[in-house]
Amino acid sequence: MPNTYCLLMYTINDVEKVIKKVQLYHDYFDEICIIDQSPQPIYESLSDALKKDYSSYNIKLKHVPSLGHSGPYYELGLKIADSDYVFRLDLDESISEPLLKNLRNLNTSPAYWIRRLELTSKYYTWQLRIYKKDQIIFKGFLHDQGLPKSSAKVMDRKYHIVHHWKVSDLKNSNKLKRYLALDLIERSLIYRFLSVKLWFSINYVCSRMF
């Protein structure tokens, strides 16, 4: 029986981006799961839009209390997904065409390292974004990449995601410094070596510096 694939997204106050992602990617996935931390009126707006125009799609929308970032809800996303594989995508990211077309062939590894290209700065990091939902462990921290229970395969660079991030998106300079420190050090280095203790230490130091 063929593997099934879920697109998993997290949102806070961004109905428009969620709808755009649904429009772009629903044909490629067996289901779409959305964890929404928005206030009740915004959640209801998203829920109504999905029911009105996308009721024929296999979409699950879960409303949860806002905790400021999505890390604590990564495990919940795995629980509500019914598919074999989960593809976690941020709302400010897009999936490359080669990766989309090759998605159904990603079935030989419990998890996959995917290259994420920063569109503005042109640097990239490797991130665990595609995995069997029973083969990944999350700790609930900020920028939690997850830990594969066994092995993870590194994908060819042409199969990537793009982060459409701009410096102007982080108006606070301290927030910007911390974001860049975490992104450059934590994502590209720490999780490649799967060291949770080192990951926690870097987060702690960054929080004190910035």
Side-chain angles (χ1 to χ4, degrees), residues 7 21-29 89 94-95 100:
L7 177 63
K21 290 293 187 288
V22 170
Q23 292 172 338
L24 285 173
Y25 301 130
H26 74 272
D27 284 337
Y28 295 93
F29 294 89
L89 187 73
S94 61
I95 308 172
L100 278 174

Side-chain angles (χ1 to χ4, degrees), residues 90 92 116 118 123 143 163 165 170 173-187 206 210:
D90 292 343
D92 58 358
R116 188 176 88 152
E118 299 291 340
Y123 78 90
H143 284 186
H163 188 201
W165 173 84
L170 293 174
S173 60
N174 286 335
K175 187 177 180 181
L176 173 60
K177 290 176 183 177
R178 185 167 186 267
Y179 179 89
L180 291 175
L182 288 171
D183 224 38
L184 286 169
I185 300 173
E186 173 201 27
R187 291 184 174 179
C206 288
F210 310 125

Side-chain angles (χ1 to χ4, degrees), residues 61-143:
L61 177 62
K62 179 72 172 179
H63 192 213
V64 295
S66 178
L67 299 178
H69 68 95
S70 56
Y73 290 118
Y74 285 168
E75 284 282 356
L76 176 61
L78 299 181
K79 290 179 180 178
I80 68 172
D82 290 326
S83 299
D84 300 305
Y85 280 90
V86 170
F87 190 138
R88 182 172 61 82
L89 187 73
D90 292 343
L91 292 181
D92 58 358
E93 297 172 338
S94 61
I95 308 172
S96 69
E97 195 67 22
L99 179 52
L100 278 174
K101 292 181 177 180
N102 195 58
L103 182 66
R104 300 284 170 173
N105 294 323
L106 302 183
N107 53 29
T108 60
S109 177
Y112 292 88
W113 289 102
I114 304 294
R115 190 172 78 136
R116 188 176 88 152
L117 175 66
E118 299 291 340
L119 191 62
T120 301
S121 58
K122 303 304 181 184
Y123 78 90
Y124 66 87
T125 56
W126 292 92
Q127 302 195 13
L128 278 172
R129 291 300 191 89
I130 304 176
Y131 34 76
K132 284 191 172 182
K133 66 177 185 177
D134 60 348
Q135 293 295 316
I136 195 81
I137 301 172
F138 289 111
K139 300 298 182 180
F141 300 131
L142 180 67
H143 284 186

